[in-house]
Amino acid sequence: MKTSISVPPTLRFGVFELDPRAGELRKKGMKIRLQGQPVDILAMLLQRPGEIITREELQKKLWPADTFVDFGQGLNNAMKRLRAALDDDSESPRFIETLRRRGYRFIGPLQGRRTLRPKAMDSLVVLPFVNESGDPDADYLGQGIAESIINTLSQIRKLRVVPCATTFHFKGPEANPQAVATALNVRAVLTGRVLQRGESLIISAELIDTATESQLWGTRYGRKMADIFDVQEEIASEISEKLRLHLTREDKEQIAKRPTQSPEAYQFYLRGCFHLRKWTPEGVRRCLEYCRQALEIDPAYALVQALMSRVYLVMGVFGFTRPGDAFARAKSAALKALEIDRALAEAHAALGCVLLYFEWDWLGAEEQFRQALEISPNSSHLHIELANWFGDMGRFEEMVAEAQIAVQLDPLSANAILTLGAGFYECRRDAEAAEQLQKALELNPDFFWAAYFLAFLYSAQGRHKEALSLLASAPDIPITRAYMALSFARGGHREKALEIAHELERQPRRDFVGYVLSAVHGLLGEEDEALTILEELFEERLGAIVFLNHGKHDPLRGSPRFQDLLRRIGLPQVPQQG
């Protein structure tokens, strides 16, 4: 059957030319034995280059209702014959692109006509690979593979890749790619499954264009665990190709870059990341142990050194161990990571945190954070670090601006939203602060830091019952009780605040709790008690001392002792706010 489409006498593409009226296809002038429906399909595609020709259109024109054949089988056979004639491959097409369940599109150069090649897709979410082993302890592998692909592709400046903190909200086999793409405002979604049996590894992956609801690429690997890096590199390369990204030499080098040659060390690293994301003392301890095991195998594993530095930072800031010891080890690990790989953003960020929270080298810390962002500008986490630095310097409008970038990059990150809420609070924009803090809690009801900040804000607004309800939902640990005392103090409940504070002060350890208790005494007008605690924290060089420019300590800001403490730490003087 011939089409009645009006087209030029000859259509040329590559080494081929088609005369649609005669139904003849030639290659380098030689006629190819092809006729019927494959030629008619090619004519339709060439008439509308760059556009989708749907299966429905093809059926209507080439398989009318009175044709008693299996349309699906007939179309597949016709496309196979056409691709064979064009030396084209459905997996890596030069001329005809398949859009699963939708139709086909001509993407090759068409002589004398401007071919509208689809634009490159600039946004992607990589969902955690589903663990098909049935063993929850193996969840680390699926999350780790996704995180590694995310970290690699995040280095491509033209591509916005949703960070792990957000993608892990959608883990599990029930995650709907279309719904995820809509929620995160992205075009492409990578899903995958992983099954490990001893040293055997089965990984499947599928890249979906949610705008057309079509599969861009999909495959299944049966490999050994030793081949995990090859698989991840191949997946990253396929994604960049299918999204039509024009990679620079540096982009290609980044995709091919391997953090270690040891699959065993890599597994320990993935386990460490998995447990650190739990943000519990036990999770921190297990992460540290896995880091040590990885470094026993590969001491030059820069990513592990950077992860170790981060673990020690958490331990130092929140008093899990003596701050001096923790920060010294954090600095050593960060410097080792940078010695191995100067282009490792995580190591620059870790060193920046050491300079900020322990050495009080404000300019040095800013330089490290900005170097990290130069390497990885689309990292929400790094923008959070810089936002917190602005907050410590008392530059709260800049803190808000940087936190807004972090939220834009990672709209479902509770940590980014918390940082933005804290920035709004410091700018005395209470309604906006409450909105963001509530959003952070809705995203992660177990994120008790958001509950602490929001309870403090509620108490100032006279919403004391709501504040206590929030704190009651947090773990019953000293830091929760310290924030409860702070909320009582902020709400004008002096006796209750002091009762809790004195109970905590009888405990021998002074860590982040001490920083909060100093604010309690300050709010209650007990300046000497507040400053005595801060002097002790100064001597211990506790990381939380750098937060003194934040609003909790506003009642002390006019004190000469407080101003002298700021001077000795080197923090800028921030005017007292009402």
Side-chain angles (χ1 to χ4, degrees), residues 161-412:
V161 184
V162 177
C164 306
T166 288
T167 63
F168 289 169
H169 284 286
F170 300 98
K171 61 186 178 183
E174 68 282 355
N176 181 287
Q178 190 69 47
V180 172
T182 301
L184 301 178
N185 190 29
V186 297
R187 173 75 180 267
V189 179
L190 179 73
T191 65
R193 296 175 178 273
V194 58
L195 174 64
Q196 184 179 13
R197 289 283 186 265
E199 286 302 306
S200 297
L201 200 62
I202 298 175
I203 298 176
S204 60
E206 181 182 33
L207 183 64
I208 301 167
D209 178 0
T210 58
T212 60
E213 297 183 11
S214 61
Q215 183 193 54
L216 295 172
W217 169 77
T219 192
R220 187 172 184 269
Y221 303 92
R223 303 284 179 86
K224 298 294 185 183
M225 189 64 201
D227 301 321
I228 183 66
F229 301 123
D230 293 330
V231 173
Q232 290 177 171
E233 180 182 334
E234 186 171 333
I235 291 174
S237 296
E238 289 286 356
I239 290 172
S240 62
E241 179 182 335
K242 300 308 177 186
L243 297 187
R244 305 179 185 90
L245 301 172
H246 297 290
L247 301 185
T248 64
R249 179 175 56 82
E250 290 78 9
D251 291 334
K252 293 176 181 177
E253 289 176 353
Q254 184 62 39
I255 289 177
K257 184 177 179 180
R258 295 188 177 182
T260 179
Q261 297 302 316
S262 169
E264 187 179 2
Y266 177 65
Q267 286 190 75
F268 283 130
Y269 168 72
L270 295 184
R271 289 180 184 273
C273 293
F274 177 78
H275 285 285
L276 184 61
R277 280 192 291 269
K278 297 179 180 180
W279 290 108
T280 63
E282 174 62 15
V284 170
R285 185 195 65 78
R286 293 191 67 178
C287 176
L288 190 60
E289 180 56 34
Y290 284 125
C291 285
R292 287 170 175 159
Q293 289 178 274
L295 291 175
E296 285 178 6
I297 299 170
D298 184 359
Y301 199 160
L303 268 175
V304 175
Q305 295 285 6
L307 181 61
M308 258 188 117
S309 180
R310 188 178 174 197
V311 171
Y312 283 126
L313 283 165
V314 171
M315 296 172 71
V317 171
F318 297 109
F320 291 177
T321 188
R322 290 183 62 84
D325 293 341
F327 284 114
R329 292 180 179 181
K331 183 176 184 179
S332 175
L335 290 174
K336 285 179 183 176
L338 288 172
E339 183 181 331
I340 299 164
D341 185 355
R342 295 294 302 178
L344 189 62
E346 294 90 335
H348 284 286
L351 182 57
C353 287
V354 173
L355 297 176
L356 173 62
Y357 295 113
F358 187 64
E359 298 193 0
W360 304 340
D361 178 358
W362 318 122
L363 295 180
E366 181 189 17
E367 181 183 355
Q368 291 299 318
F369 293 143
R370 293 197 182 279
Q371 282 191 45
L373 279 168
E374 183 67 26
I375 296 167
S376 187
N378 293 327
S379 167
S380 175
H381 168 71
L382 295 178
H383 285 284
I384 292 171
E385 297 285 16
L386 186 57
N388 287 329
W389 180 88
F390 279 127
D392 297 339
M393 298 302 105
R395 295 159 60 176
F396 300 123
E397 293 292 346
E398 291 167 279
M399 177 185 183
V400 167
E402 200 66 32
Q404 286 172 327
I405 296 173
V407 172
Q408 183 179 8
L409 288 168
D410 195 353
L412 296 186

